[in-house]
Amino acid sequence: MAAAVTFRNIGIALLLSLGVVACGRDGGGERAPERGDTAVARVDGKAVWVSDVKREAVAQGPIGQGEPLDTSSELFRQMMDEVIDQKLLAAEATRRKLDKDPTAQRRLAAARDRVMGDLLIDSTVADAVTENN
């Protein structure tokens, strides 16, 4: 039974990985979320941006907010792989309609609330710093 589950998981991972394709600087026609941002991969037809990878590195702690992350470094590659994995898993969860479950809806709403609160704080701090310069 464990072998069947392992082969099934490997099969799912292989199928999901077919949705990942390296891409060039243009992001496949998508607009960069930040000025000078570069697309480094595509997942399910959508660009993964350098800023996405940096944000993940900050969230996990290897770098601090505003610190550089060399796109040719092993750390960048690790963080990019994690962003890609998250996007693949999210796409599969959506395909399975797991996002329609009421518990999932509450968890997604709570995550959105946290992000919106963080954005407000970031914006307020940035405005205060700009005004004091």
Side-chain angles (χ1 to χ4, degrees), residues 63-112:
I63 66 169
Q65 185 70 36
E67 288 183 35
L69 178 58
D70 182 358
T71 57
S72 64
S73 71
E74 180 60 29
L75 176 60
F76 183 88
R77 181 70 181 168
Q78 280 181 301
M79 294 294 104
M80 183 176 71
D81 287 346
E82 291 195 28
V83 170
I84 289 169
D85 288 347
Q86 288 172 3
K87 289 183 179 292
L88 288 170
L89 290 169
E92 179 63 13
T94 301
R95 186 189 71 73
R96 293 180 183 195
K97 300 184 183 345
L98 298 178
D99 58 327
K100 305 302 181 198
D101 178 76
T103 301
Q105 292 285 318
R106 288 192 306 278
R107 290 175 65 182
L108 289 167
R112 183 182 188 285

Side-chain angles (χ1 to χ4, degrees), residues 1 5 25 42 56 60 67 71 87 90 102 113 130:
M1 180 69 172
V5 171
R25 299 178 69 80
R42 293 191 73 69
E56 183 66 21
Q60 289 193 24
E67 288 183 35
T71 57
K87 289 183 179 292
D113 290 348
T130 302

Side-chain angles (χ1 to χ4, degrees), residues 22-33 37-42 45-49:
C23 67
R25 299 178 69 80
D26 68 354
E30 292 176 55
R31 185 171 173 201
D37 216 344
T38 303
V40 291
R42 293 191 73 69
K46 296 178 184 164
V48 174
W49 300 92

